[in-house]
Amino acid sequence: MLILGFESSCDETGVALYDTETGTIKGESLFSQIDMHALYGGVVPELASRDHVKRIAALTRECLKEAGASFEDVDYVACTEGPGLAGALLAGMSFANSLAFSLGVPFIGVHHLEGHLLSPLMGNSSLKFPFLALLVSGGHTQILAVRRVADYELLGESVDDAAGEAFDKTAKILGLPYPGGKYLAQKAQKGRERHMAMLAKDPKAEPRFVFPRPMLGSGDLNMSFSGLKTAALTEVARHKEEMGGNLDDEFVEDVSYAFEEAVTDVLARKVAKALKKTGMRDVVVAGGVSANLRLREKFAKLRGRSHFPALGLCTDNGAMIAHAASYHLDRAREPLAFGVRPRWSFEDCFKKK
Ligand code: KG4
Ligand code: ZN
């Protein structure tokens, strides 16, 4: 069976053709609107919707061409139904449902987070249910027990900012471009190298800044990241007062290092606790922040086995949607009578009937 999957919930238009027999992606196309939104320092919903409409047909053609397939080969059409920006979701859902209708094939609506959650299963035969999942994106930070498809239990989550959101807000405070996660990570690497050089000379050398590890002692699996942004803000204000207006590179690198260490420590330690609590051995890390290399390093040291999506599959894409749809062929329905679910909670989507 071939599933043509679409993703348009935020600022990426993604299309992919997934083959259920081989478990592989036959063709894929993706356009990121990041450069357009960067001008405004954040995603502008109206512009996002318009851009999805503008590009989705050409991206579909590109994907099928790469797969060496035609529209007649498609057995199912799938698309992110929610959560996300209403207009952006509508752009993808209208196109996908119209296409399914015109081809006379069934349609499958996918929960965006399930797309992320199951994506490390693609091409990874060593990963089997049940497993633990850490979803870390711009909008979510959740630890879930994944017992089987559609049986997901929320074990803990951020009580305030999502980890990606904290990366982006702190990057902004440090004057880095939007979305700042990956830029902050690059700066942090330099700060870390400097600290490693200090440690080589003096094994007790402290880093220049140490940020708190919020809620580590909370006794549950919840997390909090908004205080780290405040810690960065406090250092920036102090630095500006002492040194004048400009933030020099070394300062930005040292604050980035302190921030990244704190976030990745909290995530790794909460997941270690969840592994112990559930007795599970595997942990899947998904969502944009799973691209973070320091996080990957720390997870490699956990007692469980950690699984990350390929770097290209960490951020939003069509492949994860087509792949997630392959587990829900029984949910396929007639196209066209559709709506979008901008605020679709995971719990509502998979509530036991
Ligand atoms: O899953 P995603 O593409 O979009 C949603 O939020 O659904 O995640 C985007 C988030 C942004 O906050 C971005 O800054 C962050 O992932 N991110 C990173 C890195 N690459 C992307 N954060 C830390 N380190 C990275 N290397
Ligand atoms: Zn996402």
Side-chain angles (χ1 to χ4, degrees):
M1 295 285 174
L2 289 178
I3 306 176
L4 187 62
F6 292 91
E7 155 62 32
S8 74
S9 65
C10 190
D11 56 352
E12 261 101 20
T13 323
V15 188
L17 190 67
Y18 181 74
D19 184 344
T20 59
E21 256 106 275
T22 57
T24 55
I25 296 293
K26 295 273 171 209
E28 200 181 355
S29 57
L30 184 71
F31 182 82
S32 167
Q33 306 173 354
I34 278 180
D35 292 345
M36 174 175 80
H37 298 298
L39 298 172
Y40 304 91
V43 175
V44 184
E46 176 69 19
L47 296 182
S49 319
R50 292 183 195 198
D51 207 65
H52 289 307
V53 171
K54 193 161 103 188
R55 297 185 196 276
I56 199 162
L59 286 165
T60 307
R61 241 179 265 124
E62 192 186 318
C63 165
L64 288 175
K65 193 169 169 209
E66 187 191 306
S70 66
F71 282 116
E72 286 69 43
D73 299 322
V74 174
D75 297 298
Y76 293 88
V77 173
C79 183
T80 304
E81 194 170 331
L85 301 170
L89 289 165
L90 269 173
M93 283 288 279
S94 312
F95 186 85
N97 276 274
S98 312
L99 181 63
F101 180 71
S102 70
L103 298 176
V105 302
F107 173 83
I108 303 165
V110 175
H111 193 289
H112 181 83
L113 295 184
E114 190 186 33
H116 278 301
L117 190 75
L118 299 179
S119 64
L121 283 167
M122 245 187 291
N124 181 356
S125 53
S126 71
L127 179 62
K128 302 259 183 309
F129 297 109
F131 54 81
L132 206 65
L134 172 68
L135 274 179
V136 264
S137 69
H140 292 84
T141 304
Q142 299 186 326
I143 300 174
L144 298 135
V146 179
R147 302 217 163 76
R148 65 186 80 82
V149 170
D151 184 349
Y152 311 128
E153 186 193 348
L154 181 66
L155 302 177
E157 64 185 333
S158 172
V159 297
D160 42 48
D161 290 355
E165 187 181 359
F167 263 98
D168 294 345
K169 286 180 176 170
T170 305
K172 194 169 182 179
I173 291 168
L174 295 172
L176 300 172
Y178 169 87
K182 72 169 182 204
Y183 300 104
L184 189 148
Q186 285 161 8
K187 297 286 178 194
Q189 172 63 17
K190 298 232 171 80
R192 193 162 111 82
E193 281 164 12
R194 197 164 21 254
H195 184 213
M196 292 301 124
M198 280 157 59
L199 283 172
K201 286 189 201 139
D202 168 9
K204 290 207 178 107
E206 291 285 332
R208 180 164 164 203
F209 304 111
V210 178
F211 284 3
R213 272 61 172 159
M215 290 186 75
L216 269 192
S218 66
D220 57 20
L221 295 171
N222 288 334
M223 296 155 272
S224 162
F225 296 108
S226 69
L228 295 175
K229 167 195 70 197
T230 314
L233 207 54
T234 308
E235 291 305 340
V236 167
R238 200 196 322 263
H239 189 77
K240 283 189 172 163
E241 206 176 291
E242 285 166 10
M243 315 293 287
N246 284 343
L247 300 180
D248 57 275
D249 281 351
E250 261 191 36
F251 172 82
V252 171
E253 290 160 8
D254 292 341
V255 172
S256 299
Y257 173 49
F259 173 84
E260 188 182 57
E261 286 305 301
V263 174
T264 51
D265 257 5
V266 171
L267 292 172
R269 284 159 76 172
K270 288 283 176 174
V271 165
K273 209 167 177 177
L275 284 168
K276 202 165 162 203
K277 192 170 165 185
T278 57
M280 289 184 185
R281 292 181 41 205
D282 291 273
V283 54
V284 152
V285 188
V289 184
S290 66
N292 187 277
L293 296 178
R294 189 69 181 129
L295 186 72
R296 289 177 177 231
E297 263 176 43
K298 289 189 181 166
F299 272 64
K301 293 192 186 124
L302 289 180
R303 275 185 50 212
R305 281 181 302 208
S306 44
H307 306 261
F308 284 83
L311 276 178
L313 289 179
C314 291
T315 44
D316 294 348
N317 61 82
M320 68 182 197
I321 301 304
H323 168 255
S326 71
Y327 296 92
H328 294 296
L329 299 185
D330 57 328
R331 255 210 242 148
R333 57 174 168 77
E334 288 287 307
L336 288 189
F338 70 89
V340 294
R341 300 168 193 256
R343 294 181 163 273
W344 199 9
S345 83
F346 222 31
E347 294 72 42
D348 282 352
C349 179
F350 299 107
K351 208 165 22 200
K352 293 204 182 72
K353 305 220 166 66

